[in-house]
Amino acid sequence: MNKEDLAKVIALRHDLHAHPELSLEEARTCQVLMDFVRQHSDFEIVSCQGWFYACRHAEHPQTGPIAFRADMDALPMEETIPLPYASEVPGVSHKCGHDGHSAALAGLAMELSGRPLRRDVYLIFQPAEEIGKGGKVCSALLEEKQIHEVYAFHNLSGYPEGAVVFRHGLTQPASMGLTLSFAGKTSHAADPELGINPAGTLARLVLFLEEACHSENRGLLLSTIVQMEAGSRNFGISAGSGSLSVTLRAEAEAEMDHLKDRLCSRAEELAEENHLRLSISASDRFPETRNEETCLNRVISAAEQNGYPTINMPELWRASEDFGWYLHRCPGAMFYLGNGETWPALHSAAYDFNDHLLERAIRMFEGLI
């Protein structure tokens, strides 16, 4: 890219960073990105409910349409580093780099402007990736427009700056959040037998989960306790209610669902045995992200043609990613760009997107087109 255009993309990224928005609240983010694409490219913009896509049609298509996706949402984290473009929204910041993903995709529209295309190109700007709710909705566009292949990238710390990192097949696991809530009966702490305290049931479920994950031999199977509570810190009252919230993670959705069913079944048994009322709620469901081999080979080829180093990840990246919804509908691939081997980790207070990746992401997308 010429220096002037690259500076515009960097400025866009900094603007998005300074005004972060949480999942399903990305109204300003959407508008800023639409304005940028409208001002700096000849792509058509189609506004949808809470998201948008930009498209440009080839005059004489030689092959089927291609799509690229970027996420837009931020995290409920305080900005603590003194950036000149630091977040102006208390308690919200871009600590996963979605500001960079979106700016790169908008920069792609600018870079392609006025140039002949050999295929139709769709750019999808998606909300709510962090809670797993955006991809399922936006991915319907792939079938509607009969898109042939779809791609996305994520920045990733711990790898050399600018390296194109990839994994064949499964690259990120499925996950979901699950909360099991139990209602019993309080009593005086001196007479616990007169109440129904769920604490023992919660403890048994924790031990059950630990054993279930170790007894299965099907690759990654992980349960992470994110919250456990019972009663209140009142030493005169035996707890009468409590809950356990866990994140379940597995290489495949079927394995995750099997673990969920086992956990729920055990919770129902314990609730009945101990005369507790049970309610179960699920949230933040992410599918597995599994790369299609032909599309991944095109990613590797694009990297090689650009002279970028490539790294084959030996192990999957455990973080979940709702790009898997797209790969359920259409062949495609997720790849990663290294932030730097010592770059702060995603979702950490010290993290900020590496601006040096913006041009590289755009070049990778161009190569794939």
Side-chain angles (χ1 to χ4, degrees):
M1 300 182 72
N2 65 54
K3 291 183 179 180
E4 183 180 341
D5 285 348
L6 181 57
K8 291 175 183 175
V9 177
I10 293 173
L12 170 64
R13 205 282 288 184
H14 291 179
D15 180 82
L16 296 176
H17 188 96
H19 304 92
E21 294 175 305
L22 294 174
S23 300
L24 301 177
E25 299 176 7
E26 303 96 329
R28 182 191 184 276
T29 303
C30 260
Q31 190 61 56
V32 168
L33 287 165
M34 285 192 291
D35 290 345
F36 185 94
V37 173
R38 187 179 291 112
Q39 181 180 353
H40 297 292
S41 84
D42 53 7
F43 271 68
E44 175 190 355
I45 293 172
V46 180
S47 179
C48 305
Q49 190 169 359
W51 62 285
F52 76 98
Y53 67 91
C55 59
R56 190 167 159 229
H57 301 288
E59 188 174 351
H60 302 291
Q62 299 173 34
T63 187
I66 187 171
F68 300 91
R69 170 277 214 168
D71 34 24
M72 303 185 292
D73 51 334
L75 286 164
M77 295 178 63
E78 198 72 52
E79 182 85 271
T80 59
I81 47 180
L83 298 167
Y85 49 87
S87 171
E88 298 175 11
V89 183
V92 183
S93 59
H94 273 291
K95 294 298 179 181
C96 198
H98 296 183
D99 51 345
H101 301 166
S102 292
L105 201 58
L108 176 63
M110 180 170 64
E111 192 71 358
L112 294 175
S113 184
R115 291 164 53 181
L117 297 176
R118 61 187 297 268
R119 65 199 307 186
D120 296 347
V121 176
Y122 288 82
L123 312 179
I124 302 170
F125 294 83
Q126 180 210 300
E129 189 281 330
E130 293 291 354
I131 60 174
K133 289 188 175 180
K136 191 171 185 179
V137 173
C138 298
S139 64
L141 183 72
L142 303 180
E143 293 176 346
E144 178 188 334
K145 301 300 181 182
Q146 298 182 319
I147 289 166
H148 282 208
E149 52 192 300
V150 62
Y151 298 92
F153 89 97
H154 207 295
N155 70 100
L156 190 56
S157 301
Y159 289 92
E161 183 181 87
V164 177
V165 184
F166 63 90
R167 191 169 194 269
H168 292 277
L170 179 68
T171 188
Q172 293 182 247
S175 72
M176 69 179 300
L178 195 67
T179 296
L180 308 168
S181 299
F182 297 89
K185 188 173 77 171
T186 58
S187 68
H188 196 291
D191 302 303
E193 70 278 7
L194 300 181
I196 304 175
N197 192 322
T201 294
L202 296 174
R204 289 181 179 89
L205 281 177
V206 171
L207 295 175
F208 171 83
L209 267 177
E210 193 173 280
E211 183 180 344
C213 289
H214 284 97
S215 65
E216 301 283 353
N217 187 23
R218 290 183 276 184
L220 175 70
L221 189 65
L222 185 66
S223 64
T224 304
I225 297 168
V226 297
Q227 186 183 49
M228 185 167 78
E229 59 181 0
S232 60
R233 194 174 297 175
N234 188 317
F235 297 99
I237 301 174
S238 176
S241 63
S243 66
L244 174 67
S245 294
V246 298
T247 299
L248 306 180
R249 199 175 303 272
E251 291 191 5
E253 290 166 76
E255 295 168 3
M256 178 181 71
D257 288 334
H258 177 67
L259 178 60
K260 180 200 75 171
D261 291 343
R262 289 187 62 194
L263 175 60
C264 291
S265 177
R266 183 58 179 147
E268 289 167 357
E269 291 173 1
L270 289 170
E272 185 174 355
E273 289 173 12
N274 295 284
H275 310 290
L276 293 161
R277 297 187 305 279
L278 169 66
S279 62
I280 301 173
S281 63
S283 63
D284 291 26
R285 185 181 180 96
F286 291 83
E288 63 204 77
T289 299
R290 192 176 296 273
N291 288 329
E292 196 273 334
E293 192 67 12
T294 300
C295 292
L296 184 61
N297 286 335
R298 289 175 181 151
V299 169
I300 297 168
S301 177
E304 291 173 346
Q305 288 173 16
N306 277 295
Y308 302 155
T310 58
I311 299 175
N312 188 352
M313 283 198 310
E315 303 291 337
L316 58 77
W317 183 22
R318 284 190 179 185
S320 297
E321 163 64 63
D322 78 352
F323 186 66
W325 293 118
Y326 296 80
L327 300 180
H328 279 354
R329 296 177 182 265
C330 174
M334 164 68 76
F335 64 94
Y336 314 97
L337 293 178
N339 283 319
E341 293 174 275
T342 60
W343 199 267
L346 303 175
H347 290 219
S348 72
Y351 170 84
D352 181 37
F353 182 86
N354 185 342
D355 285 335
H356 293 157
L357 302 185
L358 289 168
E359 183 175 12
R360 190 152 295 204
I362 293 169
R363 291 294 180 218
M364 283 295 297
F365 288 159
E366 284 183 298
L368 287 163
I369 295 170

